[in-house]
Amino acid sequence: MAAPMNSNASSLQCKHGKTYLLYFANHHTDFRVAELVALADMFGIDLPVADLKFLDKECPFFVVHLSSEADAKQLASRSVLIKSIIELWGHGITHEDLFEDLRKSKDSVMSHLMDTASFKIVVDGFNKSLPQKYKVQRIERLTEDALPFSGKIDLKNPDQLYYLLEDYGKQSKNADSVPQHVYFGRWIADGNRNEIQNQEVNKRSFIGNTSMEASLSLLMANLSKVQKNMLVIDPFVGTGSILVPCAYHQAYVMGTDINYLLLHAKAKPSRHKQKTRSPDESIRNNLAGYGLEAYYGDIMVADASRHAMWRTTEIFDAIITDPPYGIREGAKKVGKEEAVTLTPDQRVDHIPQKVEYDLSNIFTDLLNFAYKFLRTGGRLTYWFPVHRANYKEENIPHHPSMRLVSNCEQTMNLRISRRLITMEKIQQYREDESLASQTHVDHYLNSSFRNMYFNVPENQQKSVTTEGNTPDSKKPP
Amino acid sequence: MKLLTHNFLTSNIIKGVKNGYPLSILPGKVEMKEVDFNPEFITRMLPKIEWSALQKAAKECGFEEGLPDTVGEEQLGDTDLLKRVHKALLEIEVVEGKLVCPESGREFPINNGIPNMLLNEDEV
C-alpha cells in the first residue's frame, strides 16, 4: 500500500502552517530522510522529524507540514532527491475521494480559483505512463466536478502550475490498473536535479575509473551541509569529483591524494581509446570549466594517513571523501615491505614504494583526522563498503567526539553495498589518547573487501536489481 | 600552491622532527593569479591563520608590502587590509619551487603548483 501513513493529518491548513507534497525522484531512495533532515538543519527549517519514520522508500510521494512556502522553496533549492514540492490541496485513494477532499479545502484556495491568472495542470503517474487522452479527461473531470478555475489555460507560460499525481504503487503495470492514491496541488518549486546533468562526470576533461557520479557528489555536499565561504577537504581526492558540488555551493576546496602520476595527469587515462592524458587535465581545470576556479584551494600529493602534515587547528568545515576500497583503486600509504636505501641521486623525483593500507585503519584514521582538523559542529561524510550478509551497525567506526548523523545504503549487488556515513564533530579537539576512534566489530577482519567482492558463493551468483538503483550505480567502487 | 595552504602545512611527518613549522619557501616560479575578492571568507579564515608564518611566506615569495605585523579584531572591517590579506592568501601562487623543513632541511618539491608532501620509504 503506497498511501502515506500520515495522511490523516493532511488538510491544506494545519496548525504547523501548510501541507506540502514532496514528489521524489525514484533514485537513491534510502537517502531521502537523511537529505531532508540535513537540509532542514542547514536552513533552520522546522521539519516534523517524528513524521519521517512514515516515509516509505517504495513510494515517491510524502506529505509533510512546513511553516511556510519559503521553507518549501529553500528545501527544494538544494535537494537532489526531490523532483518537485507541491502545496497539497487534497488527496485520496480514488479520484472521488480526492474531489471530496478538494471541496473541503475550497475555501482556503478560493483566491486561486477566482484569480484570472492563467494556469496549467500537469497529470503524471508513478509506475504507469498515462495516455494523453486519459490526462485530458482527468483534467476535465477535476475542473468540472471539484475546482472551477476562472483563469485561462496556458500550456506554455502559465502563471500557476498545478499537479494531479497518480500513484500506481509498486506492482501494478497492467493497462487496466487503477491508482492506489491520487494527489492534487499547486506547484511550488522544483528540486535541484538539473544540477546533476550540469555536473555529469563525463563532461569533464579530468576523470578516472572511480570518479564519483554527480548525483552522489551533490548528495554528499548536502549531507555535509556545505555552504558559502566554507573550507572543505577530500583527503582521497582522486580526480576531484566530490569537490565540484562543494565549489558550486561556493565553498573553497582542498584535496590530497597519494597518486603523484594521477594528480600530474601522467597516470593511465580511463577513457576508452584515449592513449595519454592531456597535460592540462587537472582538478583545477575541471573547476575552471564550471567557472569555479575561484574556489580552488589546493591539491597536494600526500599520504592521508600522515596527519602531522597539518598544523593542529580546526581548519576544515567539512571533510567529504570516498576512500579507496581496493577493488579498482588499491588503498596505499607510504611504507616499505623490505629495507630500502636510496642514494642522494635517487632521492630526487623518487616515487616512494607504497604498502597496502588496511581498510579498517583507513576509517579509524579518517575519524581521528576529522576530530583533529574539523571545526566543532562540522561534518565528515564518507563511503563505507560492506558485505551485506555480515554487516552490523557495530562495524561502523565510532569516536567519542563524533556523533553519527546518518547511515544510508546504496546497494551494488546481492552481496555488496556501500553505506554513506555522515558524522558531526561535537567536541573541540584536545590531546588525549583515550579520545581515539575505534571499531567495535571489524568488518574486514577475516577477509579483505576485495575478497568479499570477488568471492561469489555459487548460490548467490545471480545479481539483483534493487529498487532505486540504476545499473550505473552498480559499478564497483 | 597558495599561501593559505602553506599556512596549514608542517613537516612533522618526518621521523624525529618536532618543530616543522613554518616551512620555508624556496620559490622557483611565482605567479599572481587573480581570484574574486570575498571579504567574508577572508574574515572567516583570519582566526585560523598563523600571522607570522603568512608574513614570512609572502616575503619569501617576493611580496613584502602590505601585511602589518599584527591584525586585531578592530581591523576586520578594514576592506583595504582584507584585500591585501586576500592577495597574500589566495592570489600568490608558487608554481615551481620547494618547501623546506626548518628543522631537518628536508625539501618537498612543488611542481606545476602541486606540492609533493610524500616521504620516502626510509623516512617513515
Side-chain angles (χ1 to χ4, degrees):
Chain A
M1 181 71 194
M5 308 270 292
N6 59 342
S7 58
N8 53 354
S10 69
S11 62
L12 180 59
Q13 299 284 347
C14 80
K15 60 180 191 301
H16 301 292
K18 276 187 180 169
T19 307
Y20 295 89
L21 178 70
L22 306 182
Y23 182 15
F24 287 101
N26 191 31
H27 200 214
H28 303 316
T29 56
D30 196 39
F31 298 77
R32 287 172 180 165
V33 173
E35 193 202 35
L36 264 184
V37 173
L39 296 181
D41 202 24
M42 183 164 91
F43 292 122
I45 290 170
D46 189 15
L47 189 73
V49 179
D51 289 354
L52 297 180
K53 65 174 179 288
F54 297 116
L55 197 148
D56 174 2
K57 275 198 274 180
E58 311 285 342
C59 173
F61 303 107
F62 186 66
V63 178
V64 68
H65 306 298
L66 297 170
S67 352
S68 69
E69 193 170 309
D71 284 0
K73 284 186 169 157
Q74 216 164 18
L75 281 179
S77 72
R78 276 288 295 252
S79 174
V80 286
L81 302 181
I82 293 174
K83 260 199 226 175
S84 307
I85 299 190
I86 289 135
E87 178 188 83
L88 190 65
W89 285 15
H91 66 116
I93 310 239
T94 64
H95 283 272
E96 291 314 315
D97 296 341
L98 168 69
F99 291 174
E100 188 59 41
D101 205 21
L102 286 174
R103 283 181 208 112
K104 273 190 268 171
S105 58
K106 222 172 195 171
D107 289 347
S108 54
V109 300
M110 197 44 100
S111 61
H112 286 294
L113 295 179
M114 301 304 289
D115 198 340
T116 51
S118 64
F119 73 99
K120 175 186 177 178
I121 299 175
V122 173
V123 186
D124 198 6
F126 172 64
N127 247 348
K128 187 174 175 180
S129 60
L130 307 173
Q132 189 57 32
K133 205 175 138 198
Y134 174 85
K135 290 183 183 177
V136 173
Q137 279 173 359
R138 279 291 155 217
I139 294 172
E140 281 169 1
R141 281 279 313 277
L142 180 90
T143 48
E144 280 160 21
D145 293 5
L147 297 171
F149 285 101
S150 340
K152 264 197 196 153
I153 292 176
D154 182 345
L155 298 182
K156 280 202 174 125
N157 282 310
D159 296 320
Q160 294 285 357
L161 183 62
Y162 296 91
Y163 269 88
L164 177 61
L165 297 165
E166 298 187 336
D167 180 4
Y168 285 84
K170 215 186 151 198
Q171 315 295 342
S172 42
K173 294 242 170 174
N174 58 326
D176 304 328
S177 60
V178 290
Q180 296 181 356
H181 212 95
V182 284
Y183 304 87
F184 182 84
R186 186 171 65 96
W187 174 87
I188 300 297
D190 281 339
N192 196 24
R193 294 183 56 77
N194 281 343
E195 211 43 45
I196 298 174
Q197 272 77 50
N198 295 344
Q199 296 184 19
E200 243 175 52
V201 170
N202 57 20
K203 291 184 184 164
R204 297 176 203 153
S205 71
F206 183 46
I207 60 169
N209 279 333
T210 56
S211 294
M212 183 63 58
E213 61 169 292
S215 61
L216 293 173
S217 296
L218 282 155
L219 191 58
M220 292 172 88
N222 282 352
L223 294 177
S224 311
K225 301 200 286 181
V226 171
Q227 279 177 294
K228 202 179 169 187
N229 298 329
M230 286 185 169
L231 184 60
V232 179
I233 190 169
D234 179 350
F236 300 96
V237 74
T239 55
S241 304
I242 289 173
L243 299 182
V244 173
C246 299
Y248 157 75
H249 291 306
Q250 298 174 282
Y252 293 75
V253 296
M254 285 187 183
T256 62
D257 202 287
I258 199 163
N259 193 337
Y260 178 94
L261 295 175
L262 179 74
L263 294 188
H264 286 275
K266 287 172 182 161
K268 210 173 149 246
S270 58
R271 274 198 179 84
H272 182 54
K273 285 181 181 164
Q274 188 182 340
K275 291 232 163 59
T276 52
R277 287 186 183 269
S278 145
D280 59 3
E281 282 188 28
S282 69
I283 292 172
R284 182 174 202 138
N285 285 340
N286 274 357
L287 290 178
Y290 295 103
L292 299 172
E293 197 180 353
Y295 301 103
Y296 177 83
D298 265 311
I299 301 298
M300 282 180 284
V301 183
D303 181 343
S305 71
R306 309 264 160 213
H307 300 168
M309 72 176 269
W310 301 99
R311 170 163 63 84
T312 305
T313 185
E314 298 193 330
I315 303 172
F316 305 109
D317 296 286
I319 299 168
I320 313 181
T321 196
D322 182 26
Y325 324 145
I327 306 297
R328 289 186 171 205
E329 303 290 350
K332 298 283 195 294
K333 60 180 179 178
V334 174
K336 53 187 171 185
E337 270 140 7
E338 287 163 40
V340 177
T341 353
L342 295 168
T343 64
D345 281 357
Q346 285 174 324
R347 282 186 184 280
V348 183
D349 291 333
H350 170 70
I351 295 179
Q353 200 184 92
K354 292 160 194 145
V355 294
E356 296 298 325
Y357 189 6
D358 184 65
L359 204 46
S360 312
N361 291 340
I362 287 188
F363 293 109
T364 47
D365 279 357
L366 184 61
L367 264 66
N368 290 334
F369 178 76
Y371 173 49
K372 207 162 174 181
F373 301 106
L374 198 56
R375 163 176 63 84
T376 309
R379 287 190 168 186
L380 162 69
T381 296
Y382 62 94
W383 289 100
F384 185 87
V386 303
H387 184 248
R388 298 178 71 195
N390 298 338
Y391 167 76
K392 300 190 271 293
E393 212 172 292
E394 290 88 342
N395 297 140
I396 303 299
H398 65 101
H399 188 290
S401 299
M402 300 290 296
R403 175 178 71 89
L404 180 67
V405 176
S406 60
N407 172 352
C408 310
E409 183 180 29
Q410 185 197 21
T411 314
M412 304 283 178
N413 60 37
L414 251 180
R415 291 167 299 114
I416 299 297
S417 70
R418 55 179 179 176
R419 308 195 72 100
L420 187 58
I421 311 291
T422 297
M423 295 180 156
E424 192 165 291
K425 178 169 162 183
I426 51 173
Q427 247 165 35
Q428 215 171 358
Y429 172 76
R430 63 192 156 89
E431 210 140 328
D432 179 349
E433 277 175 15
S434 68
L435 290 173
S437 169
Q438 280 178 8
T439 308
H440 283 312
V441 183
D442 185 352
H443 191 61
Y444 316 107
L445 187 65
N446 297 318
S447 172
S448 75
F449 185 69
R450 193 186 167 82
N451 284 338
M452 294 185 203
Y453 192 91
F454 286 109
N455 291 348
V456 185
E458 272 180 19
N459 58 347
Q460 284 185 12
Q461 264 171 359
K462 207 177 76 194
S463 111
V464 65
T465 307
T466 314
E467 181 73 21
N469 282 315
T470 61
D472 186 49
S473 62
K474 283 193 219 100
K475 281 185 297 192
Chain B
M1 184 201 67
K2 294 173 194 284
L3 299 192
L4 173 69
T5 309
H6 168 267
N7 206 267
F8 295 128
L9 289 182
T10 87
S11 55
N12 293 334
I13 44 177
I14 303 169
K15 218 190 294 172
V17 168
K18 287 201 172 66
N19 296 308
Y21 189 84
L23 298 169
S24 302
I25 300 174
L26 283 180
K29 183 171 152 202
V30 178
E31 285 176 2
M32 292 300 289
K33 289 198 178 160
E34 205 180 312
V35 177
D36 299 337
F37 174 53
N38 176 354
E40 289 87 23
F41 179 66
I42 300 300
T43 311
R44 279 203 72 202
M45 281 301 116
L46 265 177
K48 300 179 184 180
I49 295 299
E50 265 308 320
W51 190 255
S52 57
L54 177 63
Q55 243 186 348
K56 180 170 175 282
K59 207 173 193 172
E60 286 165 341
C61 293
F63 296 86
E64 285 193 48
E65 88 297 347
L67 296 180
D69 289 338
T70 52
V71 175
E73 257 179 57
E74 69 283 356
Q75 283 160 292
L76 288 181
D78 180 348
T79 308
D80 192 51
L81 174 73
L82 290 180
K83 276 188 178 157
R84 277 176 278 154
V85 179
H86 159 80
K87 207 168 187 166
L89 285 176
L90 298 177
E91 295 197 335
I92 299 174
E93 285 272 358
V94 185
V95 183
E96 303 291 332
K98 281 166 183 164
L99 294 168
V100 188
C101 166
E103 202 172 303
S104 68
R106 208 279 192 194
E107 293 176 347
F108 297 92
I110 303 167
N111 302 120
N112 201 16
I114 303 177
N116 181 354
M117 299 303 292
L118 289 185
L119 296 170
N120 291 323
E121 301 87 325
D122 55 354
E123 295 172 293
V124 299

